[in-house]
Amino acid sequence: MSMSWADVRFMLERMRGLVRRGLASLRTRGLGPTWARVRRQFARRVLPASAPLHVPAAAPFAPFAVPANDAPRASIVIPVYNQAAYTLACLRALAEYPPAATCEILVVDDGSSDETGEWMPQIAGLRYHRRPANGGFIAACNDGAALANGAHLVFLNNDTVPQPGWLDALLDTFGAHPDAGLVGAQLIYPDGRLQEAGGVVFDDGSAWNYGRFDSPDDPRYASLRDAAYCSGAAVAVPTPLFRELGGFDTRYAPAYYEDTDLAFAVRARGLRVLYQPASRVVHLEGITSGTDTASGTKAYQVRNRGVFAEKWREALARQPRAGTVPTAGSVVRPRRQILVVDAETPRPLHDSASLRLVNLMRMLVEDGAHVVFLPADLHHAGDDTARLRRHGIEAWHAPFAARASAWLREHGHRFDVVMLSRHYVAAEFLPLVRRFAPQAKVVFDTVDLHFLRERRGAELAGDAGLERAAERTRDRELTLIRQADATLVVSPVERDMLAGLLPDACVEVVANLHEVADSGLPFGQRHDLVFVGGFRHPPNVDAVRWFGGEVFPLIRARQPGIRFHCIGMAPTAEVLALQSQPGIVVHGHVAELEPYMAGARIALAPLRFGAGVKGKVNLSMAHGQPVVATSCAIEGMHLTDGHDVLVADDAAGFAEAVLRLYADAALWQRLADNGRENITRHFSMDAARDTVRRVFLH
C-alpha cells in the first residue's frame, strides 16, 4: 500500500514527540525511570492467548449430577430430539464448570427414539420432560418455558458445549444493562473460528451471521453490542417477558426464524437485544436439522423467511438493504459513532485520567452512541481492554490494527466525532483524521494543560531548560486548540485562561467523573493517612518526597502512632527510600483501593505543582474521606478551606491541619459530608452530561 503525506507526517511527528518527551523525562525523572518508559513504549505487542476451548472427554455413559436449585436465577431449557451423545456432552460441560448463578436444567425430549430416554433420568439434578409426541423445536422450547421456575430463561441447543463462565456472563448483562430484553452468546465452531457474533437482518427478511469464520478475538466481534437478533442456540431472556410475548411464535413451527422473531418482538417493547462475547458457546451447527435448505426441517428456513418478512414489514424497512456486506460501521448504524484515541488503553484502577476517560466513554454509550477506542501504542492491555468491551466500547489493538494510518484509512469514514487525548497524541493523529475522516468533528481533550503543569514544575525547580520546554509545549497545545473543532479542559481555571489566550476557540469543561461510593467506616474506626497517585507523574513524586521529608516528621512527633500509607504504581527510588522513616509504608500499586478509602482517616494531596483537577482529591471525597491539600491540589475544584477541605501550603501549616482533623470528629464528619456533596454537584457523571451531549451528540 502506498504511503501518503499524512502517513509521513504521522511518523515524523511521532519520532519528534518521542524525542521531546524522552529528553523531558530525563530531566525530571532521571535515567532509570526514563529507560523503563522507553522499554514500555517499544515493547513487543503480544495478543493474550485465548483460553483453550473446553470439550468434555468422550466416555461411555455413567450417571453424574448437574447443577440444580429450587429457587433458580436461571432455567436452562435444552430441547432435544435424538442425538443423545451430543446432549450428554452438553450436560457434562455444564456439570464440569458449574456457574456461580443458581440454575436448573430442563431437558425437553421431543419424542426421541435413541438412548435419550434411558440416560436422562439417571442424571441427578436434571429435570427431564418427555413430550407425548414430536412437535418440533418451537413446541419443545415453549413447553420447557412453561415448566421453568427461574427468573430468566436460557435456551440452549443440545449440540453445544458451553464454555466456563458462559451463563454468568449472560445473566450479568441484564444487571449491568437494565434495558436489555434478550442477550445472546458468542457462538464458536469446534475448530475455534467464529460462527456468529450476533446476527444482521436485511430489509427483505434475510439474515447474516456476523463474523462467520473470522477470529473470535477480532475487535469487531469482541465487545458487547446491540444486534438485530441472536441465534436461539444460546440466548437468555427474562421469564416474565418471554411469557408476556407469548413464547416463540408458533406460526414458524416447527422451527426457524423463531429466534429472529423474538428479537424483533423484544425490541418492539422498547428493550435491547445484546450480543455478549464474554459468553462463549461452542456450537456444532446443523447437527439436528442439517444444512440443506431444500429438504427436511431446514426447508422451513426458506418458508419462514417469507412469514417473518410479512409480519415485520414495517420494522424491516429500517434494516440494511439486502445484498450489502455488513461492516463494523454498518452493524451499529444509525447510532452516532465516536472514535477516541489516547496514548494507551486507560487503566481506571491506576490513575484519575484513565477513570475520567472510561467514565466519559461510558456516558456516551449510555446516551446511545457507539464508541470505538484506539490506543496509539496499539497494545492489548489485558483486563483493561476487556473492561472497555464489557461497557460496550469497541476496543482495538494489534495485530488487528497493525498501523494507525492504515486503520484510519479503512475506518475513518465511520465516525461522526473523533476525540484525540493529550497534545502529543493529537499532534500525531490530527493530520490523519483530517485526511481519512474529513466529515468528523475533531475534539481535542487536553486531559490537563500540560504546559501549565510543566511551567510550574520548572519554576519550583528553578530550571531554565524546563521553562523553555514548557513554552514549546504551550505553543503546541495552543496550535492544536486552534485546529480542533472543540477542546476539553478539566477545570474552569483552565477554560478561563484559554479564553484570554484564544478568545475564538470553543473550549468546554469536562472535569473528572466519579460515582459517589459507600462512605466506609466511621471516624472512630479509621486510622492513619493515605496518599494515592502514580509515580510516573512527577508532581506525585515531588509531593510525597516533600510530605515525607518535611511534614510527616512534625506529625509523627506529636502523634507517634500515625502511619502514612503511600499507594501508587511505579514508586521511584526516592519514594521507596522514605520507608526508612518510622511510620511510612510504600505499598506501590494495590489491587484494591477500597480498604484504604474505607479505613484510612485522612487523605493527603500535598502537591506543589501541577495542572487540572486532582483525581486523588475527587476519589477520596467520593468515598466520604476528608482531604488535607495544598492550594495547587484544589485549584479549579470548587472547594473551600474549612468547609469541604483543609488547605495549607507550608510544612508546619500542613502538619497542623492534619493533626487538627485527625483529632476532631465533628470537623471530620462535616468535611466528609460536604466533600461528597461537592462530588455530586461538580464531578459526577450527571454533572457533566449536558456538556458531553453538547460536544459529542449534537
Side-chain angles (χ1 to χ4, degrees):
M1 183 179 291
S2 61
M3 183 171 291
S4 68
W5 174 237
D7 294 309
V8 174
R9 287 185 62 185
F10 174 80
M11 290 190 295
L12 289 174
E13 184 58 40
R14 170 157 288 189
M15 286 187 288
R16 282 197 297 266
L18 289 171
V19 171
R20 284 195 301 263
R21 296 199 302 279
L23 292 174
S25 181
L26 278 172
R27 294 181 71 94
T28 57
R29 298 181 176 91
L31 180 59
T34 299
W35 178 240
R37 289 166 66 89
V38 170
R39 291 177 61 192
R40 190 171 71 253
Q41 176 72 34
F42 293 102
R44 183 183 175 198
R45 300 176 187 123
V46 178
L47 183 65
S50 297
L53 295 177
H54 169 67
V55 178
F61 176 79
F64 60 98
V66 295
N69 193 279
D70 292 334
R73 184 178 171 196
S75 296
I76 302 172
V77 176
I78 305 175
V80 305
Y81 177 63
N82 292 324
Q83 307 295 343
Y86 292 103
T87 306
L88 188 61
C90 177
L91 293 174
R92 281 175 170 160
L94 293 170
E96 289 172 7
Y97 289 94
T102 57
C103 66
E104 63 174 358
I105 302 173
L106 297 91
V107 166
V108 182
D109 186 347
D110 197 27
S112 298
S113 57
D114 63 357
E115 299 93 338
T116 298
E118 176 188 351
W119 290 350
M120 296 302 112
Q122 299 183 59
I123 299 175
L126 182 70
R127 293 183 61 191
Y128 174 60
H129 171 71
R130 186 175 177 89
R131 303 188 73 250
N134 179 271
F137 180 84
I138 291 174
C141 287
N142 285 345
D143 273 10
L147 296 168
N149 298 315
H152 290 84
L153 287 166
V154 180
F155 295 100
L156 184 68
N157 279 14
N158 69 325
D159 57 349
T160 62
V161 180
Q163 299 301 292
W166 75 286
L167 179 62
D168 297 309
L170 284 181
L171 298 181
D172 289 348
T173 309
F174 291 100
H177 301 275
D179 56 350
L182 185 148
V183 181
Q186 181 186 79
L187 300 182
I188 303 172
Y189 286 109
D191 64 4
R193 292 179 300 166
L194 183 63
Q195 185 179 120
E196 180 188 296
V200 177
V201 176
F202 298 107
D203 58 0
D204 64 350
S206 60
W208 180 295
N209 289 0
Y210 184 54
R212 192 179 185 91
F213 302 134
D214 285 343
S215 166
D217 298 318
D218 189 310
R220 291 174 293 175
Y221 318 121
S223 61
L224 182 78
R225 191 191 72 249
D226 287 87
Y229 80 97
C230 293
S231 168
V235 294
V237 60
T239 302
L241 174 63
F242 186 79
R243 290 172 177 169
E244 287 168 17
L245 294 173
F248 285 123
D249 193 334
T250 55
R251 76 182 72 189
Y252 300 104
Y256 291 104
Y257 269 90
E258 72 288 329
D259 46 8
T260 316
D261 177 89
L262 179 65
F264 273 62
V266 165
R267 207 161 24 248
R269 288 290 183 98
L271 298 171
R272 296 171 70 188
V273 175
L274 295 175
Y275 155 71
Q276 176 54 274
S279 175
R280 306 176 79 214
V281 174
V282 173
H283 183 212
L284 286 71
E285 185 180 46
I287 290 298
T288 303
S289 303
T291 57
D292 181 7
T293 57
S295 63
T297 305
K298 192 73 174 175
Y300 284 97
Q301 183 174 341
V302 177
R303 180 189 77 93
N304 286 347
R305 171 181 156 186
V307 175
F308 173 79
E310 178 62 29
K311 178 179 177 180
W312 294 103
R313 183 184 307 165
E314 237 179 85
L316 287 172
R318 299 187 289 273
Q319 295 301 113
R321 184 168 49 84
T324 58
V325 177
T327 65
S330 70
V331 296
V332 297
R333 290 188 188 131
R335 298 172 72 191
R336 195 166 178 82
Q337 298 188 53
I338 299 170
L339 171 64
V340 175
V341 184
D342 200 355
E344 57 187 27
T345 299
R347 300 174 296 173
L349 301 181
H350 290 247
D351 63 88
S352 61
S354 290
L355 180 62
R356 171 181 175 269
L357 181 57
V358 169
N359 282 340
L360 173 59
M361 291 190 285
R362 286 177 57 199
M363 288 174 62
L364 291 168
V365 171
E366 289 170 5
D367 275 343
H370 180 77
V371 178
V372 178
F373 179 79
L374 180 71
D377 66 5
L378 299 180
H379 286 195
H380 187 290
D383 290 343
D384 293 305
T385 297
R387 181 182 292 105
L388 294 184
R389 290 168 170 171
R390 287 195 296 271
H391 290 311
I393 297 162
E394 185 184 316
W396 283 78
H397 54 81
F400 302 102
R403 286 172 41 228
S405 56
W407 187 90
L408 277 165
R409 184 180 289 110
E410 179 182 355
H411 293 272
H413 67 278
R414 299 172 53 182
F415 301 111
D416 301 289
V417 181
V418 176
M419 187 179 91
L420 305 174
S421 292
R422 306 173 205 273
H423 70 89
Y424 49 90
V425 173
E428 294 172 2
F429 277 82
L430 186 56
L432 291 178
V433 171
R434 291 301 192 197
R435 178 177 177 83
F436 298 123
Q439 77 291 341
K441 176 181 182 179
V442 176
V443 178
F444 170 37
D445 180 22
T446 63
V447 180
D448 60 27
L449 287 176
H450 287 51
F451 82 83
L452 185 58
R453 167 164 48 84
E454 291 177 11
R455 178 190 291 167
R456 290 170 173 174
E459 291 170 352
L460 185 65
D463 188 321
L466 289 178
E467 288 184 10
R468 289 191 295 271
E471 288 308 301
R472 289 192 292 270
T473 300
R474 175 186 181 274
D475 293 342
R476 284 191 294 273
E477 288 188 300
L478 295 183
T479 297
L480 288 164
I481 292 168
R482 292 189 192 97
Q483 294 174 342
D485 299 308
T487 295
L488 301 184
V489 295
V490 294
S491 80
V493 170
E494 294 184 347
R495 178 193 59 200
D496 296 344
M497 177 185 294
L498 291 176
L501 295 171
L502 299 172
D504 296 330
C506 175
V507 180
E508 298 277 6
V509 177
V510 175
N512 287 345
L513 301 170
H514 291 265
E515 296 174 298
V516 175
D518 293 337
S519 57
L521 297 173
F523 174 85
Q525 296 179 35
R526 289 175 175 257
H527 305 280
D528 299 336
L529 315 174
V530 65
F531 172 91
V532 177
F535 294 105
R536 291 175 181 157
H537 192 52
N540 288 336
V541 177
D542 176 80
V544 168
R545 289 178 61 192
W546 176 70
F547 179 81
E550 299 187 31
V551 182
F552 190 62
L554 302 177
I555 296 170
R556 190 77 177 177
R558 291 167 56 183
Q559 286 278 3
I562 291 181
R563 292 184 300 169
F564 171 43
H565 298 275
C566 185
I567 296 171
M569 188 175 183
T572 64
E574 302 99 317
V575 172
L576 290 170
L578 292 172
Q579 294 186 105
S580 63
Q581 295 178 224
I584 297 182
V585 184
V586 179
H587 296 274
H589 174 66
V590 297
E592 289 291 336
L593 269 178
E594 189 66 30
Y596 299 94
M597 295 295 98
R601 187 171 290 183
I602 300 174
L604 306 176
L607 297 166
R608 299 194 295 171
F609 70 96
V613 297
K614 310 305 181 293
K616 57 181 61 64
V617 175
N618 293 140
L619 177 68
S620 290
M621 289 185 172
H623 283 80
Q625 184 180 59
V627 178
V628 178
T630 57
S631 300
C632 175
I634 66 164
E635 182 180 71
M637 298 186 69
H638 314 280
L639 296 168
T640 303
D641 184 20
H643 176 72
D644 36 28
V645 68
L646 293 186
V647 181
D649 291 313
D650 63 279
F654 204 98
E656 189 60 40
V658 171
L659 289 164
R660 174 186 167 207
L661 181 56
Y662 202 83
D664 190 335
L667 173 63
W668 187 93
Q669 192 62 56
R670 183 169 74 250
L671 296 185
D673 294 342
N674 292 339
R676 286 166 68 86
E677 196 275 334
N678 173 273
I679 296 298
T680 300
R681 177 175 295 184
H682 299 292
F683 299 100
S684 66
M685 293 167 75
D686 284 340
R689 201 170 295 277
D690 287 346
T691 301
V692 170
R693 287 172 175 168
R694 182 168 61 250
V695 172
F696 291 93
L697 303 179
H698 294 157

